[in-house]
Amino acid sequence: MKYALIPLAFLLLGCTTEAQPDVSRATGQALFADNCAICHGMDATGGGPLAPELATRPADLKRIAQRRDGVWPRLEIMAIVDGYAKRSNPRDDMPVIVGLTEGPLVDYDTGNGVLTPTPARLVAVVAYLESLQNPRPTSYVP
């Protein structure tokens, strides 16, 4: 009788386990292509098809860490992408991309050891941008 309950236990476990949202590099790359490449270019260097029409040239996103002496500022980049820093950054042409801040959330450690629910799409795009850094970051800040 006790062995008859084993399949039931696995069935219930399957019902309560939620799939985690995809924050892979491939997902970040696809989101970048859909939302950012129009201005920053598919190569992320700032030469997208819309770039000539903008008042401020889009940033070369492959050199973020280089411009910060090798530091990858993860939360600063998230704040720029999600629009939180919009009030303090003189980037009138940089839109808030709502599609990156909506949808499923993932638990994300912002650097203080506390997991914070964060939009999975935002995490994926910022992880993709980190993977593009040339040269690679030598240090990280949250």
Side-chain angles (χ1 to χ4, degrees):
M1 177 67 178
K2 65 180 177 181
Y3 295 110
L5 296 177
I6 292 175
L8 179 61
F10 282 112
L11 178 65
L12 290 175
L13 180 64
C15 291
T16 60
T17 303
E18 292 183 35
Q20 288 296 310
D22 185 2
V23 294
S24 69
R25 181 177 188 263
T27 296
Q29 183 175 15
L31 290 165
F32 179 88
D34 290 346
N35 296 283
C36 312
I38 189 77
C39 296
H40 291 280
M42 286 303 291
D43 65 355
T45 60
L50 195 58
E53 299 175 30
L54 302 175
T56 305
R57 178 174 168 78
D60 178 346
L61 301 178
K62 289 184 168 184
R63 306 260 183 226
I64 296 168
Q66 181 184 45
R67 289 190 299 269
R68 289 163 175 79
D69 297 322
V71 176
W72 177 249
R74 184 174 294 122
L75 292 182
E76 178 185 346
I77 301 308
M78 285 184 169
I80 291 169
V81 173
D82 74 10
Y84 184 78
K86 185 90 172 142
R87 290 185 207 104
S88 61
N89 287 330
R91 294 180 174 99
D92 292 335
D93 293 333
M94 176 65 187
V96 173
I97 303 169
V98 177
L100 297 179
T101 60
E102 293 180 339
L105 302 175
V106 293
D107 287 334
Y108 185 76
D109 182 351
T110 60
N112 60 2
V114 176
L115 296 178
T116 303
T118 306
R121 293 177 188 136
L122 179 63
V123 171
V125 166
V126 173
Y128 172 66
L129 293 175
E130 179 182 346
S131 76
L132 297 178
Q133 297 309 291
N134 186 18
R136 302 290 311 147
T138 55
S139 62
Y140 297 81
V141 295

